[in-house]
Amino acid sequence: MELHFPDETWVWAMNIAMDQLYWVSWACLVFTVGMFAAGIPFCLQIIRRRSTQDVPFLPYLATDLNNILWCYYGLMIRDSTILLVNTIGSCIQTICMIVYLYYTSDKTKIIRQIFYAFVGVMSFLIYLNFYDLSPDRFINQLGLAASAVTIAMYASPLAQMKEVLVTRTTRSMSFPLSVATFIASSLWTLYGFLLNDMYVSLPNVPGIITSIVRFYLFCIYPHSTSETVHSI
């Protein structure tokens, strides 16, 4: 027997879903901008020390590439939350990269990394725009590329984790950034689920996992070498 629900029931259910999407989108905006801003203290540390020592460049670069691709994805699917969040993020990361480039002692290496990364992204975007793709295939390929870069962005702290294991100190990691990453990636996973968009939800799962691993490292290792000596 087929069940029939009153129109009011469907309207009520749709309103609930839209309310959830609205509040989750605002939470994504706040906590993701907070995640991007959590890297600013390291940028200020570079300025104070006039050195990029103990501050890796890869997270800034990976995050900026991630923002560029998601800006384009948000534009294509007409999602203002994705577009706004990643526009703000790209501006923050670009400023931090300029500061890093100014103070680093190995400018050639950093410029080479930036050049290769942006040539790759621009080549891909040119391919998407000039190759005769159907709208669905266009979105799918852009979503796959953005997802891959997001996973790479969340994997970039693995280099820091390796350093933590070697030095037995978490001074190269930011606890506020780890917290913001955990919350933001969890919210984006939920947001993608509400949108029924696997390209938004699935690539944020590694962010949850790597954040939990970093929390564990913060628990077992101190934030400075002096604490290590004291604990011994």
Side-chain angles (χ1 to χ4, degrees), residues 96-115:
C96 291
M97 286 168 60
I98 291 172
V99 171
Y100 195 103
L101 181 61
Y102 181 81
Y103 285 103
T104 184
S105 58
D106 195 355
K107 289 182 172 54
T108 302
K109 177 183 176 182
I110 298 302
I111 291 174
R112 189 184 300 118
Q113 290 178 352
I114 295 173
F115 175 77

Side-chain angles (χ1 to χ4, degrees), residues 42-61:
F42 283 100
C43 190
L44 296 176
Q45 175 182 312
I46 290 173
I47 296 173
R48 285 196 302 269
R49 295 182 178 180
R50 306 183 66 86
S51 170
T52 58
Q53 184 182 6
D54 296 329
V55 180
F57 179 73
L58 184 58
Y60 291 120
L61 180 59

Side-chain angles (χ1 to χ4, degrees), residues 6-47:
D7 290 341
E8 292 81 2
T9 303
W10 290 112
V11 171
W12 176 79
M14 288 298 295
N15 286 337
I16 292 294
M18 291 302 294
D19 284 343
Q20 289 178 333
L21 191 62
Y22 174 80
W23 290 111
V24 171
S25 67
W26 271 105
C28 285
L29 173 63
V30 172
F31 283 101
T32 307
V33 171
M35 180 183 72
F36 295 145
I40 293 178
F42 283 100
C43 190
L44 296 176
Q45 175 182 312
I46 290 173
I47 296 173

